[in-house]
Amino acid sequence: MKAKPKATRKRTSQKRAKAFTGVQALLLFPSGEDHKATLDLMRRFSAAVRYAYNRLLQGWSREALKRENGPLRIFFGLNTRYADDAVMKAQALLDSARERGEDPRKVVFGGRRLFETLKRGHLSGKPLKEVKREWKEKRQGLLYSRGDKTKGGNLNLRLFVKDGALWLRINLGDGGYAHALIQTKHPNLSTLLQRAYASLPYNVELSLKDGKVYATFTWEEEPAPLVATKENGVLALDVNSDPYHLALALVSPDGNLRRHLTLSLEEVDRAPNKGAKELLLWKIAHEVVSLALEHGVAIATERLRYLRKSRRGDGSGRAFRRKQHRFAYASLLRKVHSLARKKGVQVVEVNPQDTSTIGMLKYAPQLSLSKDVAAAYVIGRRALGFKEKLPKGYGKLLRDERFRDHVQGFYASRAQELRAKRSAESNPYLRRRLSQELERAKRHLSLLSSLQGSPGSQEGSTEGRNFLGAHPWRVLRVGLFLPLLGREVPRDLSPLKPILFGGSWEGWRGGLGPHPGGGPECANVRST
C-alpha cells in the first residue's frame, strides 16, 4: 500500500562531480642509479608533505610554502611544481581529517595501525623487520605530480614512447632525469596512450611497496550527459551488515514507494581474496546502475563523508565484530557513484542522520517493510526534498506522562541493575562491557529528559522550546525499542503500528492486554 505523505518539496541544484579514470603500473628501472635517485626523490617529497602539513596547522599559506625561496625548495631540494604538489597533498590530508571530525594534530603519517604495532614492542626478528620495512615505505614512498595541459601532459613525470615501449621520465629536480619502463596490462592503457600522444593532462603518483615502485596515472573525464535524473524519481540504497545485503527502494517523484528489493552480499563475504571481492562489488554496482537506467531515475545514497560508524545491524560481541570487519559499504558506494557518472545517471547524496531510526519507526510498521528497506526509503524521500513529519500517534505518545514515567523508570532500574552486576563481576572484560551498557543507559536517561523541553528551532516548537524534545525520533527509539519491544534493534517492527496511528502503548507487559501486533483491538488498523 502506498504512503501518502504530506511533505514539502525542496529544490536544490546539484553540481556534477568530477569523474576520474586511472591506470596502475609497475615501474622497471634498467639503471640502478635511476632507481636509487627516484627513491631519494620520493623520500624528500614525503618529508616535504609532512613538513607542509605541520606548517598548515600553524597557519602558513600555500604561497609561502611553495615560493622560490620557500622552505620546501631549500630544505628538501624540490622544484616549485613539486613543492606546490606537496602542499596540495598536505592540504588534502588536513581537509579529510577535519571532514571526518578527527583531530588533525593526531594524524599519523605511515598509518596508525603500524605505529601502534611498533609502539607495543612485542615483535622481534623477521616479523619486526617486515613491519619496519612497511612503515618506512609508507612514510617515505610517495611522489606526486599533477597534470598540466599547458605543459603538454605532465612536466615532472612525463610519458613517452621509445622503440614501441612506454616509458616514464622522472624529473629529479636538480636538472637530471631518471627513466623507468612501464609494465601493465590495465584495460585503460590505450586511453592513457592516447592522452600522452595528444599532450592531454594526466596526474601521476608513485608509491613504494615491497621494495618496488608503482605508478598510478589518473585523469579527469567529462561526465556523460544525464539520461536518468531525480525528476523521474530515485533509486535509494542502504546496506546492512547482518544479514549482509543491499536494500533498494525505488521512490517516485511524489515520494511514494514504487518497488523495493534486496541484493545479498554474502557472496562478497565468501570471496577468496581482495581481487575477487572487488570484482563482485563492481558486479553489484553494475546491477544497481542498470536498474536506475531501466527506470530512468537518479541514485540516492548517504553522503560518503558522513557515513555513520555505529552498528549497522543486530548483535554485538566477537561474532558481530567479525561481521563488521567484512563491511564494504563505502567501497560499494564509491563504485556505484563512479559507474553512475560514466553511464549518465544522476547521483544524489544526502545526510544519513537518523535515516535508519525514522525508517524503523515510521515506514517499517506502516508499510510492512524490513528496517533496511525502510531506511533506504527515507534516504530516497530525503533526496527528493521531502521532510518527515512526526505521526500524530507518536506525538500523542511523547505527550503522555505515564509513558515518560514508564520509560524513565525502566532505564533508571536498568542502570541500577547494571551497577550491581558490574560491582559483582570479577572478569575485567565483562566489567568493561557492563560499563559500556551502563553509560548507554545514562545517555538514554539524559535524552529522555529532553521531553521536558529543550532550546531549539525544531518543528512544533513554541517560544524557542520544543515540547517534543530536541530529537523526538531518537527519543522514540530509546523509549519504544528496548523498554517495550525488548531489543535495541528489533527485527519485527509491526507491533508499533497501533502506536503509530493511535498513540496507545499500555498493556504491552505483564498480561495487561493483547500484544500490539495482533488481537481484536488491531483488526481495524488501516495503513493510509
Side-chain angles (χ1 to χ4, degrees), residues 245-291:
H245 68 271
L246 174 67
L248 301 170
L250 185 62
V251 187
S252 61
D254 60 4
N256 286 316
L257 183 64
R258 293 171 52 191
R259 178 187 175 190
H260 62 86
L261 67 153
T262 59
L263 298 176
S264 174
L265 298 177
E266 294 295 339
E267 189 178 358
V268 176
D269 187 38
R270 295 191 294 268
N273 52 57
K274 184 177 179 180
K277 181 177 180 178
E278 287 291 296
L279 287 175
L280 288 170
L281 289 174
W282 275 113
K283 179 182 176 182
I284 294 168
H286 276 277
E287 291 183 39
V288 172
V289 174
S290 296
L291 186 61

Side-chain angles (χ1 to χ4, degrees), residues 14 36 58 65 204 326 411 427 431 454 459 464 466:
Q14 183 190 33
K36 183 178 179 180
Q58 296 172 1
L65 288 167
V204 186
R326 69 188 181 177
Y411 281 109
N427 187 316
R431 280 179 59 87
S454 303
E459 286 191 29
N466 184 2

Side-chain angles (χ1 to χ4, degrees), residues 136-154:
K136 183 177 179 180
E137 287 180 346
K138 286 185 176 295
R139 281 182 64 88
Q140 301 183 2
L142 173 66
L143 181 63
Y144 178 78
S145 178
R146 282 174 297 167
D148 190 336
K149 187 175 182 179
T150 63
K151 303 298 181 182
N154 195 305

